[in-house]
Structure formats: C-alpha cells, structure tokens
Amino acid sequence: MIRLPRPFCSPPKYSLTKAVITDAGAATGLPGEVTLLDLNGRVVRTLWQGTFDRLTFDVPFVARDAQGRALAPGVYLLVVRLADQRAVSRVAVIR
C-alpha cells in the first residue's frame, strides 16, 4: 500500500506498507526500490533502493530529477517494486 499526501506544498513522505504488495507472511530482507517516472515511462529519479526489512517505512519525496533540477508541473508515476511485486500510483506536481 502506498499512502500518498496529495496535493502537497512541503516535501512529503510516502508511507509504504509491505503487507499489501506481498504476502503478509513473506520473509523480510526482500530487495526493492521506489522510482519516479514520467508519463512516457522514463526514470526521473530513484527515490529509494535497498532492502525492504520493515513492515512500514517512509520514503521522502524530493520534487527534483536525478540531476537536481526542479520537476516541471505535471503528473508523474511513483513505482514501488518489492522482489517481483509492483505497485504504481500517480503523483501531481503543482507549482
């Protein structure tokens, strides 16, 4: 599950819950990542990459691309991958 604060003015944090995107009884220590994509599927920025070892954790959202430039206003895709599971949500950047 991805709980999204929409819309936002200050940098929000996205709460990710492991039990919704994988079986509740699955082992911890699964590899995962949180990536921001544009609507054409291009990677804008990887927000987090590592081992998903807690049931819930927060990922800070920085409205900048991988080169540090401010994101243009528009809709982006927040993609959470955990092992072979995937969850996608839309995020709107409004200036």
Side-chain angles (χ1 to χ4, degrees):
M1 175 179 174
I2 307 171
R3 288 182 290 217
L4 303 173
R6 292 185 237 169
F8 64 87
C9 293
S10 61
K13 291 183 180 176
Y14 293 94
S15 295
L16 308 176
T17 304
K18 179 180 178 181
V20 174
I21 55 177
T22 189
D23 294 333
T28 59
L30 295 173
E33 69 178 9
V34 179
T35 308
L36 189 68
L37 307 177
D38 66 16
L39 291 179
N40 292 318
R42 292 183 296 245
V43 174
V44 173
R45 180 183 190 122
T46 298
L47 299 173
W48 176 84
Q49 187 173 25
T51 303
F52 198 99
D53 57 2
R54 291 176 278 159
L55 290 180
T56 303
F57 69 96
D58 293 331
V59 174
F61 179 79
V62 179
R64 298 197 170 272
D65 66 13
Q67 288 75 40
R69 297 178 299 232
L71 294 180
V75 177
Y76 296 85
L77 301 174
L78 185 71
V79 180
V80 179
R81 289 187 181 93
L82 177 61
D84 62 348
Q85 304 287 322
R86 186 173 99 149
V88 179
S89 184
R90 290 184 307 265
V91 177
V93 174
I94 302 169
R95 303 253 185 232

